[in-house]
């Protein structure tokens, strides 16, 4: 696939962004809590949101890492379910995709 360099760069950029954001999330969770009860309740709610974002970010990071491995082993752009090529347009939208749209809908 001729677009591998483009996809590798796009994936690497997104990966770097996610790593930075996850580090920021982790740092914010390590901040000391306030003593005010009402503020503490708000902080706890915010922490739940941040933790959820962190989980989502980690999942995306894992998908990106798997996509980079597929580029390295020559299977990038091939559907993991049916073995057909994943359309380049789909990969441009979701570069970490490991299935074609048909198999994703199953």
């Amino acid at each position: 696939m001729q677009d591998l360099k483009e996809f590798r760069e796009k994936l690497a950029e997104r990966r770097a962004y996610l790593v930075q954001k996850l580090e920021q999330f982790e740092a914010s969770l390590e901040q000391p809590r306030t003593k005010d009860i009402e503020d503490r309740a708000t902080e706890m709610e915010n922490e739940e949101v941040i933790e959820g974002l962190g989980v989502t970010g980690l999942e995306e990071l894992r998908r990106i890492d798997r996509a980079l491995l597929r580029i390295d082993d020559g299977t990038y752009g091939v559907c993991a379910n049916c073995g057909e090529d994943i359309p380049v347009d789909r990969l441009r939208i979701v570069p970490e995709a490991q299935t074609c749209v048909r198999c994703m809908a199953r």
Side-chain angles (χ1 to χ4, degrees):
M1 173 183 291
Q2 65 190 27
D3 303 302
L4 284 180
K5 182 178 177 185
E6 169 192 342
F7 292 121
R8 182 184 296 280
E9 289 173 2
K10 191 172 186 177
L11 288 162
E13 287 173 14
R14 180 66 180 168
R15 186 181 194 291
Y17 171 80
L18 285 171
V19 167
Q20 178 187 14
K21 284 297 177 190
L22 289 169
E23 288 171 354
Q24 290 173 352
F25 292 158
E26 187 175 322
S28 71
L29 290 173
E30 293 173 356
Q31 295 296 318
R33 290 193 176 161
T34 183
K35 295 186 188 239
D36 182 69
I37 293 174
E38 290 178 11
D39 288 343
R40 187 176 291 172
T42 301
E43 286 175 351
M44 290 174 70
E45 288 175 5
N46 290 342
E47 287 175 359
E48 289 177 18
V49 170
I50 290 170
E51 287 174 357
L53 290 171
V55 168
T56 301
L58 283 172
E59 289 169 358
E60 183 178 356
L61 191 60
R62 287 184 190 111
R63 288 191 307 270
I64 289 170
D65 286 343
R66 287 192 300 266
L68 289 168
L69 287 173
R70 288 193 305 278
I71 289 174
D72 292 341
D73 71 16
T75 60
Y76 183 79
V78 177
C79 178
N81 290 337
C82 70
E84 295 292 320
D85 287 344
I86 299 171
V88 173
D89 289 340
R90 172 164 167 67
L91 292 172
R92 283 200 172 100
I93 295 168
V94 186
E96 70 274 14
Q98 61 182 356
T99 59
C100 65
V101 174
R102 192 172 0 124
C103 288
M104 183 186 76
R106 288 183 192 167

